[in-house]
Amino acid sequence: MAEVILSPSLLSSDFSRLADELAALQNAGVSWVHLDVMDGAFVPNITFGPPVIQAMRKGSTLFFDTHLMIERPERYIEDFAKAGADLICVHAEATVHLERVCDMIAKTGKKVGVALNPATPAEAVKYLLPQLDLVLVMSVNPGFGGQSFIHFSLDKISELKTMIRTCGSKALIQVDGGVTPENCADIVGAGADVLVSGSAFFNFPPYAERLKTFQKACAS
């Protein structure tokens, strides 16, 4: 089995020193960082947009795992691609023409992801799986950090894994929300490839040690 990827959510970092936080993650051996983009409409919170990502990109070689929690994301695909996102993940619930948006992302040369809210069934991405690089299973309702993992997400992860294998897709399964060292073995066991962790990662420095804690827990 391939090694599980940990993508710390920058939402839980110290926003007053983002450049330092990105450098610390890279020095700790982290390869991905999860960027939560919120518009205050699709979710009840506002974070940052392309200008901040562009500024962060100048000083970091981390893989920018960019999660757009915004309405009608098709309006901004080009902006996020130009800003330096490596993967652009849009919500199935946020756009009317999901396949078209996925095609837009692919044409920018970026990796394509689709996120599913807790109540959205895996079936929503069934026909898109061959053209996706990642499916994000939200295991909390999006908008805020520090929430508890919704247990039925494990069933959705397992269902998606079966669907991916059946159609021959290479899409990774990412899980975001309430992911901790205490539950990550169950999440990986259900079929997850990429784990997003915010407060359960950033609140426990040094980051290199916390990364090892997650890796050890995932392997158990």
Side-chain angles (χ1 to χ4, degrees):
M1 184 179 72
E3 185 173 326
V4 176
I5 298 167
L6 183 67
S7 188
S9 173
L10 209 63
L11 183 65
S12 295
S13 72
D14 182 348
F15 271 29
S16 71
R17 44 190 299 275
L18 287 178
D20 292 338
E21 291 279 46
L22 289 170
L25 290 174
Q26 197 158 329
N27 290 336
V30 170
S31 57
W32 287 35
V33 63
H34 191 78
L35 306 179
D36 288 304
V37 177
M38 305 182 189
D39 64 356
F42 182 70
V43 291
N45 201 359
I46 297 174
T47 53
F48 49 79
V52 173
I53 292 176
Q54 185 174 22
M56 292 191 292
R57 179 81 286 170
K58 292 176 182 178
S60 178
T61 59
L62 289 170
F63 184 89
F64 279 9
D65 163 25
T66 311
H67 177 195
L68 304 187
M69 287 173 270
I70 64 176
E71 291 185 349
R72 295 169 55 210
E74 57 270 23
R75 297 173 294 165
Y76 302 107
I77 298 302
E78 287 285 345
D79 294 332
F80 283 102
K82 290 176 181 176
D86 292 297
L87 179 147
I88 298 175
C89 183
V90 299
H91 268 264
E93 308 86 4
T95 183
V96 175
H97 303 291
L98 183 58
E99 193 281 334
R100 182 184 297 168
V101 180
C102 290
D103 186 58
M104 288 176 62
I105 298 170
K107 285 177 177 173
T108 69
K110 306 301 181 179
K111 293 190 178 297
V112 184
V114 171
L116 303 175
N117 278 340
T120 303
E123 187 79 11
V125 292
K126 178 179 178 180
Y127 296 108
L128 292 176
L129 287 174
Q131 68 192 83
L132 299 183
D133 296 293
L134 179 143
V135 180
L136 168 53
V137 175
M138 290 301 302
S139 44
V140 298
N141 288 290
F144 296 96
Q147 300 182 64
S148 297
F149 183 84
I150 296 174
H151 193 73
F152 67 66
S153 303
L154 295 175
D155 294 332
K156 187 189 291 189
I157 296 164
S158 297
E159 184 180 356
L160 271 170
K161 198 68 168 184
T162 299
M163 291 167 59
I164 287 169
R165 286 172 174 162
T166 298
C167 75
S169 170
K170 298 186 183 302
L172 300 175
I173 296 175
Q174 183 179 68
V175 180
D176 181 4
V179 177
T180 70
E182 289 71 37
N183 63 16
C184 64
D186 289 338
I187 297 169
V188 171
D193 305 291
V194 185
L195 303 180
V196 176
S197 183
S199 56
F201 181 87
F202 281 98
N203 290 353
F204 297 89
Y207 299 156
E209 291 303 313
R210 194 57 172 171
L211 176 61
K212 289 177 184 176
T213 297
F214 269 93
Q215 290 171 333
K216 183 178 179 180
C218 287
S220 64

